[in-house]
Amino acid sequence: MAGRWLHLDWVQSLLCVLLMVETVYGARGLSTGAHLTPQFPAVGVNKTPVKDCRDVCSLNASDRCDFIRTNPDCYSGEGYLDYLEGIFCHFPPALLPLAVTLYVFWLFYLFLILGVTAAKFFCPNLSAISTTLKLSHNVASLTHCPHGVTFLAFGNGAPDIFSALVAFSDPRTAGLAIGALFGAGVLVTTVVAGGIAALHPFTAASRPFLRDIIFYMVAVFLTFTMLFRGRVTLPWALGYLGLYVFYVLTVILCTWIYRWQRRRSLTFSMPGTPEILSDSEEDQVSSNTNSYDYGDEYRPLLSSQETTAQILARGLNPLDHRRWRSKSVYWRVLKVFKLPVEFLLLLTVPVVDPDRDDRNWKRPLNCLHLVISPLVLVLTLQSGAYGVYEIGGLLPIWAVVVIVGTALASVTFFATSNSRPPKFHWLFAFLGFLTSALWINAAATEVVNILRSLGVVFRLSNTVLGLTLLAWGNSIGDVFSDFTLARQGYPRMAFSACFGGIIFNILVGVGLGCLLQITRSHMEVKLEPDGLLVWVLASALGLSLVFSLVSVPVQCFQLSKVYGFCLLLFYLNFLVVALLTEFGVIHLKSM
């Protein structure tokens, strides 16, 4: 597999993905300036002083709504809902706790939307695209390449990356991105890594561990320097992306060297711990992580000819009744919450599966996707602002999209059959990728807006919200998947993912987020750290990495439960210090 990856096709494909993201965010950025100007002109024109939005809680209840509506710092340029106006203008002051509770529940549900979209729609379509572009012979070898440094890393890190892109698009919420990326780093390298060692002591892969932790320490040092400088220039942003490309090439080279040595060896295993999984382990992990299959394991031996209506009903059904009866109560409760999301995504996002004989071709549903998916694209881009634009003062864009989509769907329906996918079916993977990406972007935008609103209500900085709620929400899927792998007997793979996967998040999240912002504004990105807390966060991440870099080799890479509990204790102490710093208990003495 490594030999195939030495070709430059994957570089071209990654550039295609980045161009797609640039298209989404570039268009969004162009409309942002036009959208902000009419409502909030320059301060010198409307004589409205710009005050910190968090000052609203110090005002009388009767003055809070006017403050929210007239203060530019309280304005949210993105998203479908104005959460601050909802709290202070539509809820009586006595019902403020109810409003906050509803927002918190909606925040958790948005995290659920992010996880389901990334795992069951975004990542499978990325795998299908990579297979179509001949990046690997099959999806299994792609999805289990070393440490997920390719398309799977983009799929698994999609919530983190899109949250960072949304947060970096507004200087007022840039602290959320820094807090989330650093907070997730501390969480994964301490709680997740420590939990894996505590659940299942094992021998770590020496060379991959040292390689990944050194690269991650370099990335953290670059970010620490960036915060100290207070600005990000174009060469600096490109340096982040260049470092990740260098990391990918290093992983590929190391894997190729290891396999070359193994082929030359007379024995089946080389001395030391292997860097990659065996074929049997890959098959087992693949069977445990195939999360977007809706009941094909119950396919009957003798298939009968289904009608078009039955195919449509089966394609839109996210629930398999036989699996439902065999699952636990916890799984059923979570599935109930997932059902509306999965149904909506099945209706709007096509999924191509190259591993199946029919490549997941469902003729009536895929024809419906040709109408609905483009409509979702225009209604989620810039929160639907482009969808209502009228062409020539006659038809809005959404109506034109529906007409064109209906024509394409009609031609496709009458030119294809239910039994065999057409030759152009691979194009649905690109349509599904774009649609799921914009669903993730829309959910990430709402997450950032809610967190900023909660920060205003509780007078919390964006950094502490990023390192707690945003980091926890975006990392919860990684926590469960890594712990599951450890319990199933694959702690080495789960531990490697702790250090290898988050390298993508911090390098591409910061690099791409700042690059898109620089491209839109043609100016360098200004960063204003939220006081001492940012330095506490960066120092904690650096100390956790140094601790692992020193302690793991000292243990001869034999990770014990003591090491795991030490990491868990480290995170607990970090959380206490961070909260004490946020509330002013720990502070710097004024000179």
Side-chain angles (χ1 to χ4, degrees):
M1 180 184 66
R4 295 193 299 271
W5 276 92
L6 289 177
H7 298 290
L8 295 179
D9 292 343
W10 72 270
V11 178
Q12 300 172 2
S13 305
L14 182 59
L15 289 177
C16 292
V17 173
L18 295 181
L19 285 175
M20 293 177 188
V21 178
E22 168 67 17
T23 301
V24 173
Y25 281 89
R28 201 182 91 178
L30 290 175
S31 63
T32 300
H35 188 61
L36 284 174
T37 302
Q39 186 165 355
F40 291 112
V43 175
V45 176
N46 62 1
K47 308 299 182 182
T48 302
V50 179
K51 297 181 180 179
D52 191 340
C53 191
R54 288 176 291 185
D55 294 340
V56 65
C57 294
S58 61
L59 302 176
N60 295 327
S62 58
D63 300 329
R64 293 176 180 176
C65 182
D66 291 336
F67 181 86
I68 291 296
R69 288 175 172 173
T70 58
N71 187 19
D73 189 57
C74 298
Y75 175 71
S76 177
E78 303 294 338
Y80 293 93
L81 301 175
D82 192 333
Y83 297 98
L84 285 173
E85 182 174 345
I87 289 179
F88 295 105
C89 296
H90 301 293
F91 279 89
L95 296 181
L96 181 61
L98 175 62
V100 171
T101 302
L102 294 176
Y103 280 15
V104 170
F105 277 113
W106 175 231
L107 177 66
F108 290 155
Y109 202 73
L110 285 171
F111 282 130
L112 182 66
I113 294 174
L114 286 172
V116 171
T117 308
K120 296 187 176 182
F121 297 88
F122 187 78
C123 198
N125 279 314
L126 280 177
S127 299
I129 290 174
S130 63
T131 303
T132 301
L133 298 176
K134 302 185 185 303
L135 301 182
S136 63
H137 291 324
N138 52 68
V139 177
S141 62
L142 169 74
T143 55
H144 300 296
C145 60
H147 310 312
V149 297
T150 53
F151 280 110
L152 185 64
F154 191 42
N156 289 342
D160 305 85
I161 297 302
F162 278 94
S163 298
L165 295 180
V166 172
F168 272 120
S169 66
D170 190 340
R172 297 172 299 176
T173 57
L176 273 174
I178 299 298
L181 293 174
F182 273 22
V186 178
L187 177 70
V188 172
T189 57
T190 55
V191 174
V192 180
I196 292 170
L199 285 173
H200 198 296
F202 65 100
T203 302
S206 57
R207 289 176 296 178
F209 168 77
L210 294 175
R211 178 197 63 213
D212 291 345
I213 199 171
I214 290 174
F215 267 98
Y216 193 42
M217 291 180 70
V218 172
V220 172
F221 176 77
L222 289 178
T223 309
F224 190 90
T225 307
M226 177 190 70
L227 292 173
F228 181 78
R229 296 171 71 243
R231 58 192 177 92
V232 182
T233 58
L234 180 60
W236 199 268
L238 293 176
Y240 270 85
L241 299 176
L243 180 60
Y244 183 72
V245 172
F246 180 64
Y247 168 70
V248 172
L249 295 176
T250 303
V251 173
I252 294 172
L253 181 61
C254 292
T255 306
W256 184 85
I257 293 175
Y258 170 77
R259 291 184 170 179
W260 177 76
Q261 291 176 344
R262 190 175 63 172
R263 284 194 299 266
R264 290 175 58 90
S265 176
L266 297 178
T267 59
F268 289 99
S269 60
M270 295 291 293
T273 304
E275 181 175 345
I276 56 177
L277 293 175
S278 65
D279 294 336
S280 60
E281 286 176 321
E282 259 187 19
D283 294 339
Q284 179 65 27
V285 174
S286 177
S287 64
N288 291 329
T289 56
N290 185 12
S291 58
Y292 57 94
D293 193 306
Y294 292 100
D296 280 349
E297 65 270 30
Y298 300 110
R299 185 184 300 171
L301 295 176
L302 299 176
S303 58
S304 57
Q305 191 70 24
E306 289 183 307
T307 64
T308 300
Q310 290 174 334
I311 294 175
L312 180 61
R314 179 170 58 87
L316 290 175
N317 182 20
L319 180 63
D320 188 281
H321 297 285
R322 280 168 285 195
R323 292 190 64 192
W324 174 272
R325 290 194 296 266
S326 63
K327 295 296 182 178
S328 63
V329 176
Y330 167 78
W331 185 92
R332 294 181 184 182
V333 172
L334 185 60
K335 187 66 175 180
V336 169
F337 285 100
K338 287 182 178 181
L339 285 177
V341 179
E342 292 179 349
F343 175 79
L344 181 62
L345 292 173
L346 287 172
L347 181 63
T348 58
V349 183
V351 176
V352 177
D353 186 359
D355 279 354
R356 296 174 54 174
D357 294 336
D358 61 354
R359 299 176 63 87
N360 201 37
W361 165 252
K362 297 179 176 62
R363 177 173 165 239
L365 181 58
N366 287 139
C367 292
L368 197 60
H369 286 150
L370 291 175
V371 180
I372 299 179
S373 295
L375 182 62
V376 171
L377 292 178
V378 298
L379 293 181
T380 53
L381 187 64
Q382 182 51 29
S383 303
Y386 289 136
V388 297
Y389 287 167
E390 294 184 351
I391 299 178
L394 299 176
L395 287 176
I397 291 180
W398 69 264
V400 176
V401 169
V402 170
I403 294 173
V404 174
T406 302
L408 289 176
S410 301
V411 173
T412 303
F413 184 83
F414 291 107
T416 59
S417 63
N418 293 333
S419 58
R420 187 171 59 184
K423 294 182 179 180
F424 58 85
H425 183 230
W426 57 273
L427 291 173
F428 282 88
F430 290 89
L431 180 61
F433 164 75
L434 285 175
T435 311
S436 58
L438 284 175
W439 272 122
I440 294 175
N441 170 61
T445 301
E446 300 302 315
V447 166
V448 170
N449 289 339
I450 290 180
L451 289 177
R452 183 171 180 267
S453 301
L454 294 177
V456 169
V457 173
F458 294 105
R459 301 185 65 86
L460 298 174
S461 65
N462 288 325
T463 302
V464 75
L465 289 171
L467 71 92
T468 53
L469 292 179
L470 188 55
W472 294 342
N474 286 339
S475 302
I476 190 67
D478 297 331
V479 172
F480 281 115
S481 61
D482 290 339
F483 282 176
T484 300
L485 283 174
R487 285 195 299 266
Q488 292 174 348
Y490 305 103
R492 187 183 301 122
M493 179 184 178
F495 185 78
S496 297
C498 294
F499 296 94
I502 54 178
I503 294 176
F504 175 86
N505 294 347
I506 189 169
L507 288 179
V508 178
V510 176
L512 186 58
C514 294
L515 179 62
L516 296 180
Q517 182 65 14
I518 292 172
T519 304
R520 291 196 298 264
S521 62
H522 303 288
M523 296 174 60
E524 60 185 18
V525 177
K526 298 289 185 180
L527 297 176
E528 298 180 1
D530 291 329
L532 180 62
L533 182 59
V534 173
W535 308 113
V536 170
L537 178 57
S539 301
L541 180 55
L543 287 175
S544 69
L545 295 176
V546 171
F547 173 75
S548 294
L549 180 62
V550 174
S551 61
V552 172
V554 167
Q555 302 173 77
C556 298
F557 298 93
Q558 301 286 338
L559 303 187
S560 62
K561 291 186 177 182
V562 175
Y563 168 77
F565 287 121
C566 287
L567 288 179
L568 295 175
L569 184 62
F570 180 93
Y571 184 79
L572 180 61
N573 290 330
F574 152 72
L575 203 57
V576 171
V577 172
L579 294 177
L580 292 178
T581 304
E582 171 66 18
F583 293 112
V585 179
I586 299 177
H587 59 277
L588 295 175
K589 293 183 178 180
S590 57
M591 302 299 292

